[in-house]
Amino acid sequence: KLDQFFTLPETAKFPGGYGGVIHEMIEARDVRMGQYGHSNQPSHHIAYMYNYAGQPARTAEKVREVLARLYVGSEQGQGYAGDEDNGEMSAWHLFSSLGFYPLQMGKPAYAIGSPLFTKATVKLENGKKLVINAPKNSAKNIYVQGVKVNGKAWNKTSLPHDVLAAGATIDFDMGPKPSAWGTGATDVPDSITTGDAVPTPLRDVSAGVSVGALADNNSATSAVVRSFDFKAADAKEKAEFYTLTNAKSGTSPSSWELKASYDGKTWATVDKRSNENFQWQQYTRSFKIASPGRYNFYRLEFSADVALAEFELMSKPLPACTSTVTGTVDGGLQAKGVTCVDGATINGPVTVAKGATLFVFGGEIKGPLSATDAASVVLVGTRVGGPVTAHGTSSEVAVENTSVGGPVSLTSNKTRSIVAFTTVGGPLSCTGNNPAPSNNGFPNEVKGPKAGQCTGL
């Protein structure tokens, strides 16, 4: 795919959603590096991605081509690729000339490319020196044959920030042909997905926001508020973050409480903030909800009138269901993969297989429910006739706004467990869970004794 990217010609004839040709298209066409437009700063990491494909020699080729052609003069396709941010363009040149680049935002490491000079010395603010030696370096000898860091062989394709910042000597052995150096490197970024699955990032699930200016996706509009109500668009998803954007002018928020409710009558504070600071106007800040749950209603209350521009309630989509159960099931059910029970009636016991996930929203389970070493067990707005037992769960245990006819037993679960706003017909016992279960401020009605970690629920 990277080879395709760098060889498929840009023609500047396909404006797409822009409605017309923009300068980045023309510049990408003129530099003749396929779809690569060096004048578009979000492209600057792409040449270094060959390292992660086990082909650092290809990174060397592309980096050295950019250094050789795109910063040197006035002929077509050459010159200084300025765009809107010449400082960033210069930074790319300086880093890449030294032989490394801060590829991944927030990671204290630099991807190795191909140094431009036979020797470069950087005088650091701490008085130390960073020395980069590449004595065989030339216009032909662009390929790294080997690297030494402070005299010791270095086979990774990245350099740690703390090593460079402390002062170091980096020795590059350069040559005219690709080598095996770095082709087996393991210092690649962890994927946020498995296989070829696409990411499922957080998304705004707020609905029915009582103040329209806070939900119009326009930070130029604002409102002065003391409190406002809203809902979750789909209470099946557990909202875990929210964002606030202060207005162009006026008093910014500093102290507030986020309250939630399952029924719109009983409320609890699920997040509380004080002495918060918005460093500038129209500044969007995110906050993690201290006690997240699958609530139907929300209210945000401030300690004083504040000027707000935008609000978001952020949730991660549920994992894709491998099987969905609706209607009536005569008999029992074994949950495998990701089983979603949506408003169904199960006329028998439910068991959750090892490593499986069970989501039950509404409906009724007339028999007992048991899970041992499952991934997740989630019951929301459900009636369960028999006992509920969950042991050794690894990702999530949630019993919310639910009625259980028999006892509930949570043991040795390795994740945060919630039993909230729930009626339990028998004992509620919890032992060995890490962390201890919580009710998120919503007491349960338990007709039997409460024991162990669940005594206070």
Side-chain angles (χ1 to χ4, degrees):
K1 289 296 182 181
L2 286 168
D3 286 345
Q4 259 187 313
F5 177 83
F6 281 106
T7 55
L8 181 66
E10 168 64 72
T11 63
K13 294 180 180 179
F14 299 93
Y18 286 104
V21 173
I22 62 174
H23 68 90
E24 285 90 351
M25 299 173 188
I26 297 171
E27 290 153 4
R29 177 197 67 190
D30 289 349
V31 301
R32 304 186 300 281
M33 291 186 70
Q35 297 297 300
Y36 184 73
H38 191 68
S39 65
N40 194 23
Q41 294 90 342
S43 299
H44 280 183
H45 67 289
I46 297 175
Y48 288 92
M49 293 300 291
Y50 277 109
N51 284 1
Y52 296 153
Q55 297 291 327
R58 302 289 279 149
T59 283
E61 291 171 0
K62 299 305 178 187
V63 168
R64 290 294 286 267
E65 182 178 358
V66 172
L67 290 171
R69 287 207 300 113
L70 304 189
Y71 287 85
V72 295
S74 59
E75 295 181 14
Q76 185 183 28
Q78 297 179 353
Y80 195 84
D83 198 28
E84 295 93 353
D85 187 349
N86 293 340
E88 203 276 347
M89 290 291 163
S90 301
W92 190 96
H93 188 282
L94 290 171
F95 273 115
S96 297
S97 297
L98 292 173
F100 53 86
Y101 181 74
L103 174 65
Q104 188 178 1
M105 182 67 72
K107 184 176 181 179
Y110 302 84
I112 293 177
S114 175
L116 184 61
F117 305 110
T118 56
K119 183 175 182 178
T121 302
V122 180
K123 296 180 180 179
L124 304 175
E125 290 181 344
N126 58 10
K128 304 288 186 177
K129 292 183 179 180
L130 174 62
V131 180
I132 297 96
N133 294 313
K136 298 179 184 177
N137 194 4
S138 68
K140 293 183 178 180
N141 292 349
I142 66 171
Y143 298 105
V144 178
Q145 310 295 302
V147 178
K148 289 183 179 180
V149 177
N150 294 328
K152 295 182 179 181
W154 190 265
N155 296 314
K156 296 181 178 181
T157 56
S158 67
L159 297 167
H161 172 78
D162 56 356
V163 171
L164 302 187
T169 299
I170 315 296
D171 294 302
F172 286 91
D173 181 20
M174 307 298 290
K177 295 181 180 180
S179 72
W181 176 85
T183 55
T186 58
D187 56 329
V188 299
D190 294 330
S191 176
I192 61 174
T193 62
T194 301
D196 58 359
V198 298
T200 53
L202 293 171
R203 58 181 180 173
D204 183 13
V205 294
S206 62
V209 179
S210 59
V211 181
L214 307 186
D216 60 0
N217 294 320
N218 182 0
S219 62
T221 61
S222 62
V224 175
V225 297
R226 175 67 67 96
S227 69
F228 62 91
D229 293 346
F230 55 98
K231 297 179 181 180
D234 188 349
K236 294 177 182 178
E237 297 180 8
K238 181 173 62 177
E240 298 190 68
F241 291 84
Y242 61 100
T243 72
L244 297 176
T245 304
N246 59 344
K248 288 191 293 186
S249 61
T251 302
S252 297
S254 62
S255 301
W256 63 84
E257 291 187 26
L258 176 65
K259 296 183 177 181
S261 175
Y262 291 102
D263 61 359
K265 299 176 182 178
T266 302
W267 294 82
T269 297
V270 296
D271 195 62
K272 186 175 183 178
R273 302 280 169 165
S274 61
N275 300 318
E276 295 290 348
N277 179 40
F278 286 72
Q279 293 178 285
W280 53 81
Q281 302 306 126
Q282 294 180 299
Y283 180 20
T284 299
R285 291 191 60 195
S286 63
F287 303 92
K288 184 174 176 60
I289 300 174
S291 301
R294 292 173 173 84
Y295 311 116
N296 293 308
F297 306 93
Y298 290 88
R299 178 176 296 149
L300 196 56
E301 297 180 349
F302 299 93
S303 58
D305 288 348
V306 298
L308 277 185
E310 286 295 306
F311 167 80
E312 296 171 308
L313 181 68
M314 308 300 289
S315 173
K316 190 169 186 178
L318 289 175
C321 302
T322 54
S323 63
T324 300
V325 180
T326 58
T328 300
V329 176
D330 293 323
L333 173 70
Q334 184 179 36
K336 299 179 180 179
V338 179
T339 299
C340 301
V341 180
D342 197 350
T345 298
I346 312 296
N347 291 316
V350 173
T351 59
V352 186
K354 182 178 181 180
T357 289
L358 173 67
F359 291 112
V360 184
F361 301 110
E364 182 177 8
I365 298 171
K366 295 187 176 180
L369 187 151
S370 61
T372 300
D373 298 331
S376 297
V377 179
V378 175
L379 308 174
V380 180
T382 304
R383 298 188 304 277
V384 183
V388 171
T389 60
H391 173 83
T393 308
S394 60
S395 292
E396 182 182 12
V397 176
V399 184
E400 302 180 66
N401 192 24
T402 288
S403 174
V404 181
V408 173
S409 174
L410 306 180
T411 57
S412 302
N413 295 295
K414 310 174 188 69
T415 182
R416 187 173 184 270
S417 304
I418 300 173
V419 183
F421 208 61
T422 288
T423 300
V424 180
L428 173 60
S429 61
C430 306
T431 58
N433 302 284
N434 187 19
S438 170
N439 65 7
N440 285 0
F442 293 93
N444 302 283
E445 182 182 340
V446 182
K447 298 180 180 179
K450 292 184 283 188
Q453 295 171 309
C454 284
T455 301
L457 303 188

